[in-house]
Amino acid sequence: MPVAHLSDRAILKVSGPEARSFLDRLVTCDLDRLPAAGARYGALLTPQGKIICDFILFDGSALEAGSVYLDIPEAYAADLAKRLSMYKLRAQVTIENLGESYAALAGWGETSAPTGERHLVACDPRLEALGWRAIVERGGLMEAGSPADGEGAYHAHRVGCGVPESGRDFTLGDAFPHEAMMDQLDGVDFDKGCYVGQEVVSRMQHRGTARTRIVPVVFDGDPPTSGQAVTVGERPIGKVGSIAGERGLALLRLDRVADALAAGQPIMAGDVPIRLEKPAWAHFPFPGESGFPAA
């Protein structure tokens, strides 16, 4: 069954009469566009525009009026809760880590999403092909039909869709939203009001200065290990992230990829040649296409 309990995810709850306006002042997505019983993809950035933590935000009104639940990397849950609390000041909001009582699920294909009064379920806001995402009470995991070994299958599915994930394909605190493809995966609203790091992200968008991105690759041989440097000749141009069989994701300098293609030079991950594949959902010129380079 294509359902996975994502054991490396945690759940934060932001509630109170100012929860949405509070988050809207901080994150990359527009909370006014968070649909009822739906989800959005977004991130909290540094003032320099780098991703502190990315997350999926759920409308939690079915559980508590006006609340927002954040599906986030577990390793960054405590830090994100602390950072949000620093921004709170006098805002009427409460921030709670619900990692011990709630869990994140993902499902795809023909699998039915879980139902229940204590579940939040929505289409994955990054890409419809990823399937659905859910926040469920931990006591209801088996009720939701999640197999213990579904996590690996989920990440293979994610890699097949070409969607990167923090901690596996980019390092939090070191990547810009454009590099993590957030601009392509509906994670940044460029027409919303101010938020932390907005100036840098908007400048990258309008000046077309994004040259490094995470893109799908195909290995022409035995796959390398995650973290393997990608090179052209002896020149490093990026590194490999997630791997699933002969496919993977790699963080690459696309301008250097374009130079290699123009010169007929092979692109290598160790001893393995790799080929780039543009995902169908990406809307920017790829190396070798007319109009490259562009944001």
Side-chain angles (χ1 to χ4, degrees):
M1 293 287 289
V3 180
H5 166 213
L6 304 179
S7 62
D8 59 352
R9 306 291 292 186
I11 308 301
L12 289 189
K13 174 186 173 184
V14 181
S15 59
E18 297 182 83
R20 296 199 181 203
S21 59
F22 165 73
L23 286 171
D24 195 59
R25 293 192 296 269
L26 299 176
V27 304
T28 57
C29 61
D30 189 344
L31 268 291
D32 289 338
R33 298 174 184 171
L34 175 61
R40 291 296 311 271
Y41 179 45
L44 178 67
L45 309 181
T46 67
Q48 295 75 35
K50 293 192 175 182
I51 303 169
I52 292 175
C53 189
D54 65 330
F55 32 71
I56 295 175
L57 304 98
F58 286 75
D59 170 31
S61 297
L63 302 181
E64 182 176 336
S67 65
V68 179
Y69 285 64
L70 279 63
D71 169 352
I72 67 172
E74 183 179 35
Y76 295 87
D79 182 63
L80 181 60
K82 181 178 179 180
R83 287 178 180 270
L84 291 177
S85 295
M86 289 171 57
Y87 282 115
K88 188 173 69 169
L89 300 177
R90 296 182 180 178
Q92 297 180 60
V93 299
T94 300
I95 300 160
E96 302 171 75
N97 188 334
L98 303 182
E100 294 186 1
S101 53
Y102 281 85
L105 296 184
W108 60 102
E110 300 299 320
T111 304
S112 298
T115 59
E117 294 182 356
R118 304 300 298 174
H119 298 338
L120 300 175
V121 183
C123 179
D124 193 305
R126 296 169 295 178
L127 187 68
E128 184 177 357
L130 281 172
W132 51 261
R133 196 85 169 202
I135 293 175
V136 304
E137 287 189 309
R138 286 191 174 272
L141 283 177
M142 296 311 296
E143 169 193 329
S146 175
D149 60 351
E151 206 162 359
Y154 165 74
H155 288 294
H157 173 62
R158 176 182 60 78
V159 170
C161 290
V163 176
E165 181 162 297
S166 57
R168 297 173 184 266
D169 300 298
F170 61 95
T171 302
L172 290 173
D174 192 46
F176 293 103
H178 284 80
E179 294 176 340
M181 300 291 271
M182 289 190 66
D183 62 313
Q184 304 291 305
L185 293 166
D186 202 26
V188 182
D189 286 316
F190 292 100
D191 58 351
K192 69 168 285 187
C194 293
Y195 58 87
V196 179
Q198 181 191 34
E199 183 178 349
V200 176
V201 176
S202 295
R203 185 165 61 245
M204 292 182 72
Q205 175 74 5
H206 294 113
R207 294 184 180 179
T209 54
R211 293 292 178 269
T212 302
R213 287 190 180 270
I214 298 169
V215 295
V217 295
V218 178
F219 307 113
D220 292 330
D222 293 335
T225 58
S226 180
Q228 173 71 57
V230 177
T231 59
V232 174
E234 296 183 357
R235 186 184 193 187
I237 65 168
K239 66 177 181 179
V240 175
S242 298
I243 295 172
E246 65 178 8
R247 309 184 69 83
L249 300 174
L251 178 66
L252 301 175
R253 277 285 300 266
L254 297 187
D255 55 340
R256 295 179 181 176
V257 169
D259 291 343
L261 294 176
Q265 296 178 290
I267 302 168
M268 308 291 291
D271 297 328
V272 182
I274 67 173
R275 294 179 284 112
L276 277 67
E277 284 193 349
K278 182 178 181 178
W281 45 263
H283 302 293
F284 63 91
F286 226 53
E289 292 183 345
S290 175
F292 184 87

